[in-house]
């Protein structure tokens, strides 16, 4: 069992990473962190009494996946042109936590607890983005206030319905017309075509190509980031492929800047590690990044 | 190894545990067999392999892309090569399009008759399902499916029926009866072609099918319609929750975390409740984001592994219909037809073909043990031999490779003449 001192240092380390990299935090998250750290401090004070009861009701040890998510979330690069709250790719979490089954299961628990929201991205066959629930809700509200003057208020009420009714109930990445209708009629609201087209215009729903009348839930304003994601991946892989032995030291790679991507090198390296296109090996000269020769 | 034997000798290791440990170490050290080789008689890619019939575990049936079907005896070698010390197994016979009513196009699936090896069934892209007599190597019965046949299966548990379930390019699954020569059932519900069909290893009436639309449906052939569709969003963490309400309340996060749709026609299934039938055909729940390429039930019939062209393997709990969220990393499955996976009888390892290699995973944790490389082209099918702990794989490079646990090489005591004598003396090697 971990000593209380170690728990406190672990959580404060995670908190410090968050505090150092994000420019602003939402109120709820700041409050939650404050309360957690204050509880840990109070625990440290009466540590010699060994009061396990207090520990049981106040502080829970965060799961591996949760700590990894917070860490990567805190290291999200700063984008100037578009306002997108930080998201984490699931391949990045796989590159940090070795056991993928554990990641899947803990992520499922966090989805059910409405801590995070998982979205399917259109860049690859297996790309999922994880975003904290509060971040997503604040983003939806920001869009609503942006479209305030241009549309009548009975149309804008769809955003409230989206946050209050659809998001808490529907946990998957995709939704069909039928389900939208049934969820909203269950609470007494009538959804119409113009509501759906407003959601598509805002970027919250994206039509599925394979099936008619079904949509993917999406992160708004993410188009340019998706482009830089796929181009950055290609650029990094070509950078390695051009070399004679298809490998480069991580310390040298970190110093390079990708021309075609707004996301930084560390983001792409983690993502490609998790999806299996890059491998790390430890050498006396440092950590080596290479493309597997299979 | 010797320490284990010592512990068994002194009684610190019980005998069943000793046997289980020995089997496990052998299983995990599977590699390309140096002592055994199958001389493939096919002139084109091997599409489907089937064991190792259930009765004797002795004959291997293989179907290839040029319409030929061959049978090999995997216990008795036909020739012995001294220089490399491998025993060669050649085909006992091969039938192709030159035989009357033989298949003209690619054979996609082969199956031994579950009761004995006197009959085998083959399905092919020329729209026919043939029932062959093994001794005369002639086609006895032919079923015209009017669309390409992707997969067929016969139930090994069946005592009251001898139905062949066929998955074709058509959205309907048709069951052919050998006894009457007619089609007995037509199961409709899939929205695209059906690539895999498998009978359940728990009940002789339950059929599982996976289609190009990504859905996996369970059918009870005594009733109309399918009674369960597997949904990848419906998931459970590990084991199913217990039946008693008292103990389930204390479980907290281990509760069955099934997310249910508000669709009125989908049945809400809890353990102990009655199943409600009548899933509508427009139910669009999918088990995979792409098509379902392979299905394999475990020997006890409680779990099922499915492979999809979204390059994912999923482990399903059959009774609750939930995804157990086990992640099998780095598979690569693509293509326009199904693949055949193999699971060991004690359900510890799953072998899945992925491009040119066969990946070995632990079933319950998803840990990848090794990748077996030896084929030059895409691997299509695997068949596991339970007694010999051998794996047979067929691929598009026309070869059937044998993978077996590592054998210690015994150079000094080996008697060449004895081995050759043993092969020649058994000339009338037949079995009753």
């Amino acid at each position: 069992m971990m000593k209380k001192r170690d728990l406190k240092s672990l959580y404060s380390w995670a908190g410090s990473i968050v505090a150092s990299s994000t420019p602003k935090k939402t109120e709820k998250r700041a409050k939650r962190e404050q309360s957690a750290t204050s509880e840990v401090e109070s625990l440290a004070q009466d540590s010699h009494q060994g009061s396990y009861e207090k520990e049981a009701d106040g502080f829970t040890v965060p799961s591996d996946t949760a700590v990894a998510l917070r860490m990567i979330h805190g290291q999200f690069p700063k984008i100037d042109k578009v306002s997108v709250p930080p998201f984490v790719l699931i391949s990045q979490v796989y590159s940090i936590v070795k056991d993928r089954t554990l990641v899947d299961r803990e992520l499922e628990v966090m989805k059910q607890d409405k801590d995070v929201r998982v979205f399917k991205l259109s860049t690859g066959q297996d790309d999922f983005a994880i975003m904290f629930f509060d971040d997503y809700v604040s983003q939806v509200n920001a869009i609503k206030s942006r479209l305030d003057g241009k549309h009548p208020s009975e149309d804008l009420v769809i955003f409230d319905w989206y946050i209050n009714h659809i998001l808490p109930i529907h946990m998957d990445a995709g939704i069909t017309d039928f389900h939208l209708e049934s969820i909203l009629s269950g609470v007494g609201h009538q959804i119409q075509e113009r509501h759906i087209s407003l959601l598509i215009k805002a970027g919250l729903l994206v039509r599925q190509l394979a099936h008619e009348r079904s949509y993917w839930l999406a992160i708004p304003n993410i188009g340019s980031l998706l482009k830089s994601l796929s181009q950055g991946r290609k650029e990094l892989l070509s950078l390695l492929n051009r070399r004679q032995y298809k490998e480069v030291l991580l310390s040298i790679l970190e110093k390079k800047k990708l021309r075609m991507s707004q996301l930084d090198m560390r983001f792409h390296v983690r993502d490609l590690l998790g999806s299996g296109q890059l491998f790390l090996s430890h050498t006396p000269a440092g950590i080596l990044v290479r493309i597997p020769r299979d | 190894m010797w320490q284990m034997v010592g512990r068994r000798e002194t009684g610190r290791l019980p005998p069943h545990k000793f046997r289980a440990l020995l089997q496990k170490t052998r299983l995990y050290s599977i590699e390309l067999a140096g002592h055994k080789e199958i001389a493939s008689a096919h002139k084109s890619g091997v599409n489907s392999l089937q064991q190792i019939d259930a009765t004797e575990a002795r004959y291997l049936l293989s179907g290839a892309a040029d319409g030929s079907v061959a049978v090999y005896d995997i216990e008795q070698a036909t020739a012995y090569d001294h220089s490399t010390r491998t025993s060669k197994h050649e085909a006992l016979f091969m039938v192709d399009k030159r035989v009357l009513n033989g298949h003209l196009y690619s054979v996609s699936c082969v199956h031994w008759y579950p009761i004995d090896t006197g009959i085998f069934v083959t399905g092919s892209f020329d729209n026919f399902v043939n029932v062959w007599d093994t001794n005369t190597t002639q086609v006895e019965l032919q079923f015209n499916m009017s669309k390409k046949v992707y997969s067929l299966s016969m139930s090994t548990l069946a005592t009251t029926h001898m139905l062949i379930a066929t998955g074709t390019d058509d959205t309907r699954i048709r069951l052919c009866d050998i006894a009457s020569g007619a089609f007995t059932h037509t199961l409709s519900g899939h929205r695209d072609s059906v690539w895999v069909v498998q009978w359940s290893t728990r009940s002789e009436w339950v059929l599982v099918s996976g289609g190009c639309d990504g859905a996996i449906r369970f059918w009870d052939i005594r009733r109309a319609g399918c009674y369960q569709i597997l949904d990848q969003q419906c998931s459970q963490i590990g084991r199913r929750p217990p039946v008693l309400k008292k103990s389930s309340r204390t479980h907290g996060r281990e509760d069955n975390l099934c997310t249910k749709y508000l669709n009125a026609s989908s049945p809400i299934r809890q353990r102990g409740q009655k199943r409600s039938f009548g899933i509508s055909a427009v139910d669009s729940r999918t088990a995979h984001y792409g098509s379902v390429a392979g299905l394999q039930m475990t020997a006890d019939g409680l779990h099922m592994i499915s492979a999809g062209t979204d390059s994912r393997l999923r482990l399903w709990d059959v009774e609750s219909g939930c995804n157990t969220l086990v992640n099998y990393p780095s598979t690569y499955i693509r293509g326009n037809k199904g693949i055949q996976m193999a699971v060991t009888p004690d359900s510890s390892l799953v072998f899945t073909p992925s491009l040119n290699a066969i990946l070995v995973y632990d079933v319950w944790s998803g840990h990848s043990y090794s990748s077996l490389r030896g084929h030059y082209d895409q691997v299509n099918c695997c068949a596991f031999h339970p007694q010999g702990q051998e794996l047979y794989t067929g691929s598009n490079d026309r070869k059937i490779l044998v993978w077996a646990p590592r054998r210690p090489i015994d150079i000094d005591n080996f008697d060449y003449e004895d081995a050759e004598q043993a092969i020649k003396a058994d000339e009338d090697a037949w079995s009753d």
Side-chain angles (χ1 to χ4, degrees):
Chain A
M1 193 197 121
M2 275 176 92
K3 296 205 177 56
K4 289 197 186 58
R5 191 163 49 92
D6 298 319
L7 281 175
K8 181 188 176 192
S9 60
L10 165 72
Y11 208 68
S12 60
W13 164 76
S16 69
I17 291 181
V18 175
S20 62
S21 345
T22 47
K24 55 181 182 199
K25 296 190 266 200
T26 57
E27 244 182 277
K28 258 198 226 168
R29 211 160 19 106
K31 258 195 255 166
R32 225 191 288 162
E33 273 164 21
Q34 258 181 12
S35 60
T37 45
S38 59
E39 273 163 10
V40 175
E41 275 157 15
S42 65
L43 281 177
Q45 278 162 15
D46 52 17
S47 59
H48 43 269
Q49 275 147 15
S51 53
Y52 295 113
E53 300 84 53
K54 259 199 188 172
E55 185 181 10
D57 61 14
F59 180 77
T60 50
V61 181
S63 62
D64 277 354
T65 321
V67 175
L69 272 177
R70 286 250 170 240
M71 190 180 91
I72 306 172
H73 180 270
Q75 293 171 342
F76 192 77
K78 197 169 172 333
I79 318 273
D80 9 301
K81 287 189 206 137
V82 279
S83 73
V84 177
F87 61 90
V88 177
L89 292 176
I90 200 166
S91 48
Q92 293 175 325
V93 184
Y94 285 153
S95 72
I96 294 190
V97 184
K98 290 304 159 199
D99 188 357
R100 293 182 179 210
T101 308
L102 189 69
V103 171
D104 279 350
R105 288 178 173 171
E106 285 174 355
L107 202 61
E108 185 68 26
V109 170
M110 290 173 78
K111 270 201 312 194
Q112 299 294 331
D113 285 345
K114 303 195 218 326
D115 279 336
V116 297
R117 192 82 209 175
V118 178
F119 301 96
K120 189 168 189 313
L121 298 178
S122 57
T123 40
Q125 44 119 350
D126 221 2
D127 273 338
F128 289 92
I130 307 168
M131 196 183 256
F132 286 106
F133 201 80
D134 308 323
D135 285 348
Y136 190 58
V137 166
S138 62
Q139 186 75 355
V140 177
N141 282 326
I143 290 189
K144 181 183 170 189
S145 51
R146 192 165 51 94
L147 290 176
D148 210 349
K150 305 174 196 165
H151 291 271
S153 58
E154 71 254 11
D155 284 353
L156 292 179
V157 75
I158 180 69
F159 292 111
D160 292 325
W161 295 349
Y162 187 69
I163 296 175
N164 298 330
H165 303 298
I166 300 182
L167 283 184
I169 297 178
H170 194 83
M171 297 296 171
D172 358 316
I175 195 169
T176 58
D177 242 355
F178 180 77
H179 292 126
L180 272 172
E181 247 176 284
S182 54
I183 294 174
L184 286 176
S185 58
V187 283
H189 299 298
Q190 191 61 34
I191 191 168
Q192 280 151 12
E193 280 298 319
R194 58 174 203 271
H195 292 138
I196 298 186
S197 49
L198 191 60
L199 283 175
I200 295 178
K201 184 179 168 185
L204 295 170
L205 284 184
V206 170
R207 276 190 205 283
Q208 265 192 36
L209 296 171
H211 305 113
E212 234 198 81
R213 320 291 293 163
S214 60
Y215 312 93
W216 294 121
L217 264 56
I219 305 173
N221 296 335
I222 205 176
S224 62
L225 282 186
L226 288 183
K227 183 174 172 202
S228 46
L229 178 67
S230 52
Q231 284 191 331
R233 277 179 184 164
K234 268 194 270 187
E235 192 185 339
L236 182 52
L237 287 174
S238 72
L239 207 112
L240 282 169
N241 267 318
R242 268 184 277 142
R243 290 171 167 257
Q244 189 184 12
Y245 291 109
K246 301 196 183 5
E247 59 192 16
V248 73
L249 284 177
L250 187 64
S251 47
I252 297 179
L253 197 61
E254 294 260 290
K255 294 198 185 90
K256 289 189 196 257
K257 196 158 169 12
L258 286 169
R259 281 183 305 135
M260 302 204 254
S261 170
Q262 294 173 304
L263 305 157
D264 63 352
M265 180 66 76
R266 192 170 43 177
F267 189 95
H268 286 293
V269 169
R270 279 218 185 106
D271 165 47
L272 287 174
L273 268 179
S275 58
Q277 287 170 298
L278 286 183
F279 274 90
L280 281 185
S281 42
H282 294 272
T283 64
I287 303 182
L288 194 71
V289 178
R290 61 182 171 87
I291 293 189
R293 251 173 300 140
D294 277 330
Chain B
M1 163 71 183
W2 296 113
Q3 200 188 42
M4 216 161 54
V5 175
R7 281 162 63 204
R8 166 78 189 92
E9 214 177 353
T10 52
R12 275 179 295 156
L13 195 61
H16 61 275
K17 236 187 193 156
F18 175 64
R19 189 173 70 103
L21 272 176
L22 204 58
Q23 273 184 338
K24 193 170 157 182
T25 39
R26 271 175 57 92
L27 199 55
Y28 287 164
S29 70
I30 276 196
E31 57 177 22
L32 204 49
H35 60 93
K36 202 167 181 175
E37 188 198 337
I38 292 189
S40 167
H42 297 294
K43 299 273 186 311
S44 68
V46 178
N47 269 345
S48 170
L49 275 188
Q50 193 153 49
Q51 337 113 252
I52 324 178
D53 46 307
T55 40
E56 282 177 304
R58 189 172 169 173
Y59 299 103
L60 182 69
L61 182 60
S62 69
D66 60 355
S68 57
V69 178
V71 169
Y72 308 87
D73 182 343
I74 51 181
E75 254 170 61
Q76 193 66 29
T78 51
Y80 188 76
D81 189 356
H82 288 304
S83 50
T84 51
R85 273 193 222 116
T86 48
S87 52
K88 235 172 142 170
H89 300 255
E90 277 161 25
L92 295 176
F93 64 84
M94 187 183 79
V95 284
D96 56 11
K97 59 181 121 174
R98 291 174 291 197
V99 177
L100 180 67
N101 286 337
H103 287 300
L104 297 171
Y105 302 139
S106 165
V107 172
S108 57
C109 41
V110 290
H111 208 293
W112 283 112
Y113 182 53
I115 313 293
D116 61 38
T117 52
I119 299 179
F120 61 91
V121 188
T122 58
S124 139
F125 280 3
D126 64 356
N127 308 350
F128 283 100
V129 169
N130 286 351
V131 179
W132 304 75
D133 179 331
T134 322
N135 294 307
T136 60
T137 63
Q138 296 297 322
V139 179
E140 295 299 318
L141 203 54
Q142 223 181 17
F143 295 97
N144 187 351
M145 311 304 298
S146 64
K147 283 279 175 85
K148 287 200 288 200
V149 179
Y150 281 116
S151 154
L152 57 81
S153 179
M154 289 191 75
S155 174
T156 44
L157 305 172
T159 50
T160 49
H161 66 81
M162 30 172 124
L163 297 174
I164 308 172
T166 56
T168 62
D169 219 1
D170 198 1
T171 57
R172 302 170 298 170
I173 301 165
R174 298 168 89 182
L175 302 185
C176 320
D177 187 15
I178 302 184
S180 60
F183 299 108
T184 51
H185 292 69
T186 302
L187 309 170
S188 41
H190 275 285
R191 292 178 305 151
D192 206 341
S193 43
V194 179
W195 280 13
V196 219
V197 283
Q198 279 270 314
W199 287 93
S200 158
T201 43
R202 213 165 165 78
S203 158
E204 58 174 323
W205 308 109
V206 174
L207 178 66
V208 192
S209 64
C212 199
D213 53 351
I216 297 179
R217 285 175 179 243
F218 280 73
W219 314 83
D220 186 329
I221 61 171
R222 294 170 293 186
R223 295 183 168 85
C226 76
Y227 68 86
Q228 191 178 33
I229 302 185
L230 294 182
D231 182 10
Q232 59 182 319
Q233 316 294 348
C234 175
S235 50
Q236 70 186 33
I237 312 289
R239 294 174 157 274
R240 258 173 285 138
V243 182
L244 297 173
K245 274 211 201 84
K246 188 166 49 117
S247 46
S248 67
R249 219 179 290 138
T250 58
H251 255 237
R253 286 214 172 149
E254 273 88 48
D255 277 350
N256 190 344
L257 298 173
C258 269
T259 55
K260 303 293 180 194
Y261 277 74
L262 297 176
N263 190 347
S265 67
S266 72
I268 309 268
R269 289 205 52 214
Q270 303 276 336
R271 272 188 80 179
Q273 269 191 13
K274 236 170 94 88
R275 296 174 188 160
S276 55
F277 293 102
I279 296 184
S280 71
V282 294
D283 199 328
S284 57
R285 288 179 283 171
T286 55
H288 281 276
Y289 283 120
S291 342
V292 179
L295 282 181
Q296 185 66 35
M297 297 209 74
T298 56
D300 57 359
L302 292 175
H303 288 91
M304 190 174 72
I305 300 181
S306 71
T309 51
D310 57 350
S311 293
R312 279 202 193 176
L313 252 63
R314 290 194 204 274
L315 181 68
W316 304 88
D317 183 339
V318 168
E319 281 298 304
S320 65
C322 289
N323 180 2
T324 52
L325 289 179
V326 180
N327 190 318
Y328 301 94
S330 57
T331 31
Y332 188 83
I333 301 169
R334 286 274 192 278
N336 49 7
K337 59 179 195 302
I339 56 166
Q340 246 180 311
M341 297 182 285
V343 176
T344 56
D346 59 350
S347 316
S348 55
L349 290 181
V350 58
F351 302 95
T352 160
S354 151
L355 278 190
N356 291 8
I358 298 112
L359 302 174
V360 184
Y361 293 109
D362 178 60
V363 170
W364 309 112
S365 68
H367 177 59
S368 142
Y369 275 112
S370 58
S371 77
L372 307 174
R373 281 171 203 284
H375 278 292
Y376 299 129
D377 205 342
Q378 187 185 348
V379 183
N380 285 326
C381 42
C382 320
F384 190 74
H385 182 48
Q387 277 90 34
Q389 289 188 316
E390 286 165 345
L391 181 71
Y392 298 89
T393 56
S395 102
N396 278 348
D397 66 355
R398 315 174 193 174
K399 296 207 180 313
I400 300 175
L401 289 183
V402 184
W403 309 82
R406 206 170 301 138
R407 256 192 177 195
I409 308 172
D410 205 8
I411 304 179
D412 304 319
N413 302 346
F414 204 81
D415 211 342
Y416 299 114
E417 286 83 36
D418 253 2
E420 228 175 290
Q421 278 275 315
I423 294 173
K424 284 220 189 78
D426 221 343
E427 267 169 344
D428 49 358
W430 54 275
S431 58
D432 48 347

